[in-house]
Amino acid sequence: MLAGPRRRSELLDAVGGLSDKVLTETLRRLLAHGLVERRSHPAAPPRVEYRLSALGESLVEGPLRELGRWIAEHGDELLEAQDRGGACST
């Protein structure tokens, strides 16, 4: 969503494998936490777009970008540890 506003159908296509219901619930939570903004456009049919808020952008550009870097650096180690550890029983 950093590239700009997106419609629901674009979001569904971008994430793949997500149901419309799950997307709706997720967008509501993100809106409630101030991470996403929703904009309605008067048109027939109505058009709604979502985009990251300034707070959402700071989350993506800060800790999530660093987490992605860390995973790229240590992902193989994580997979190897999972293979060695097998299934955990709780």
Side-chain angles (χ1 to χ4, degrees):
M1 287 192 342
L2 282 176
R6 299 289 170 93
R7 297 182 70 177
R8 291 176 51 79
S9 60
E10 293 174 313
L11 293 172
L12 277 171
D13 290 342
V15 295
L18 193 64
S19 72
D20 189 58
K21 178 183 176 186
V22 171
L23 176 62
T24 297
E25 293 168 352
T26 302
L27 286 170
R28 285 182 182 152
R29 282 194 305 274
L30 292 171
L31 283 161
H33 288 93
L35 298 172
V36 170
E37 298 170 347
R38 179 184 188 272
R39 182 173 177 202
S40 297
H41 298 276
R47 186 172 61 119
V48 176
E49 293 178 333
Y50 297 88
R51 72 177 306 135
L52 287 173
S53 66
L55 182 62
E57 287 182 18
S58 72
L59 177 64
V60 170
E61 292 299 327
L64 291 181
R65 183 173 302 273
E66 183 60 22
L67 178 61
R69 187 203 61 74
W70 186 88
I71 290 171
E73 184 177 330
H74 299 286
D76 290 340
E77 294 171 68
L78 288 173
L79 293 174
E80 290 170 10
Q82 287 175 348
D83 289 344
R84 284 191 310 271
C88 294
S89 58
T90 54

